Amino acid sequence: MILRPLFLSRVGCLLGLIVFPFFADQFYIQFASKVLIMAILASSLNLLVGYTGLVSLGHAAFYGLAGYAIAIATTQYAITGFWINLFVSLTVTSIIGFFIGALVIRTRGIYFIMVTLAFAQLLFFIFHDTDIAGGSDGIYIYQIPQVTFFGYNALNLSNPTEFYFLSLIIFILVIFSIDKITKSLFGQVISGIKINESRVESLGFQAKYYKLTCFVISSFIAALAGFLAALQFGLVNPDM
């Protein structure tokens, strides 16, 4: 009985999000898509900061890396498939997230904050001051990949309404996945790390591996947001 009002409110919110694009103008549909993308990015950061206690000022780097990955893949390597672009963006970002995470989890407190900021600034200036992907002007995505299943075009991402529904589906999957993660043993351990890392280690858990895993998962989810943002705007630049 206690959970019923919460359940009903969630169902009501979901129904509202589903019917929203059928009554809204194109501007508001595009704006709502951007809000969903930012909510995915915020959820990824919340997993890292809110649950694990790892305050990162460099999280936008993974958001940007995923956008650059799809932009470079489509323009420089003519990779036009949606699924292969998604795989490339998430894989590249997760691998870089793993190596950055393996370095930054060696630090704590203010040092962790400053090191994550340093890596973010490093990546920013790599793309800003070199010709890897258009420098400070960025790079355009001229051909937006379409979602296909067995050769059938399931979603036309140039259509704001269809793009909105893709963003909504990914947002729901992210929220559901984070909920399952935080309620699992893994989630209990990372919550314990936030409260008292030494006590968690005294119970036999290797805190550094849990923190690294959480860092990579968080970068993976941030990459989803960056991938969607690149598709929506058709442009990726350092300022974004």
Side-chain angles (χ1 to χ4, degrees):
M1 295 297 293
I2 297 176
L3 294 178
R4 183 168 295 179
L6 179 60
F7 174 76
L8 292 176
S9 65
R10 289 178 176 177
V11 172
C13 289
L14 179 59
L15 291 176
L17 289 171
I18 292 174
V19 302
F20 169 78
F22 298 105
F23 300 96
D25 294 331
Q26 179 174 313
F27 170 81
Y28 294 105
I29 295 173
Q30 292 175 324
F31 181 77
S33 298
K34 184 177 180 179
V35 170
L36 289 172
I37 293 170
M38 291 297 101
I40 294 171
L41 178 61
S43 298
S44 69
L45 184 60
N46 184 47
L47 180 64
L48 192 64
V49 179
Y51 287 97
T52 319
L54 299 176
V55 182
S56 171
L57 294 184
H59 206 62
F62 305 117
Y63 174 84
L65 277 170
Y68 270 107
I70 180 178
I72 293 172
T74 55
T75 58
Q76 298 184 12
Y77 296 96
I79 300 175
T80 58
F82 174 85
W83 299 111
I84 185 64
N85 272 293
L86 178 62
F87 175 79
V88 169
S89 293
L90 298 183
T91 302
V92 169
T93 306
S94 298
I95 291 174
I96 294 177
F98 173 82
F99 285 108
I100 292 177
L103 294 173
V104 299
I105 63 167
R106 298 173 183 271
T107 61
R108 294 186 182 185
I110 187 65
Y111 302 104
F112 180 90
I113 296 173
M114 298 309 297
V115 172
T116 56
L117 177 62
F119 272 109
Q121 289 300 300
L122 171 65
L123 291 170
F124 173 85
F125 285 110
I126 286 175
F127 287 108
H128 188 276
D129 296 343
T130 67
D131 295 328
I132 294 176
S136 59
D137 293 329
I139 182 171
Y140 284 93
I141 303 173
Y142 295 104
Q143 184 173 357
I144 302 298
Q146 303 304 315
V147 182
T148 59
F149 290 99
F150 304 104
Y152 173 74
N153 287 333
L155 288 175
N156 177 15
L157 299 184
S158 300
N159 184 306
T161 300
E162 296 187 31
F163 181 84
Y164 169 85
F165 279 113
L166 175 65
S167 302
L168 178 60
I169 291 170
I170 293 178
F171 170 73
I172 293 171
L173 290 174
V174 166
I175 296 300
F176 177 80
S177 300
I178 291 177
D179 181 66
K180 292 298 182 183
I181 289 172
T182 55
K183 290 180 179 178
S184 66
L185 175 61
F186 176 83
Q188 295 177 34
V189 173
I190 61 174
S191 297
I193 290 173
K194 178 183 178 181
I195 298 171
N196 193 322
E197 184 175 338
S198 298
R199 182 168 295 180
V200 168
E201 290 188 332
S202 70
L203 294 173
F205 297 100
Q206 294 291 326
K208 62 180 180 181
Y209 296 125
Y210 282 88
K211 291 194 293 184
L212 178 58
T213 302
C214 186
F215 195 93
V216 174
I217 293 174
S218 182
S219 67
F220 178 91
I221 298 174
L224 281 172
F227 177 81
L228 289 173
L231 290 179
Q232 182 180 28
F233 299 114
L235 167 69
V236 182
N237 60 38
D239 291 331
M240 282 181 58

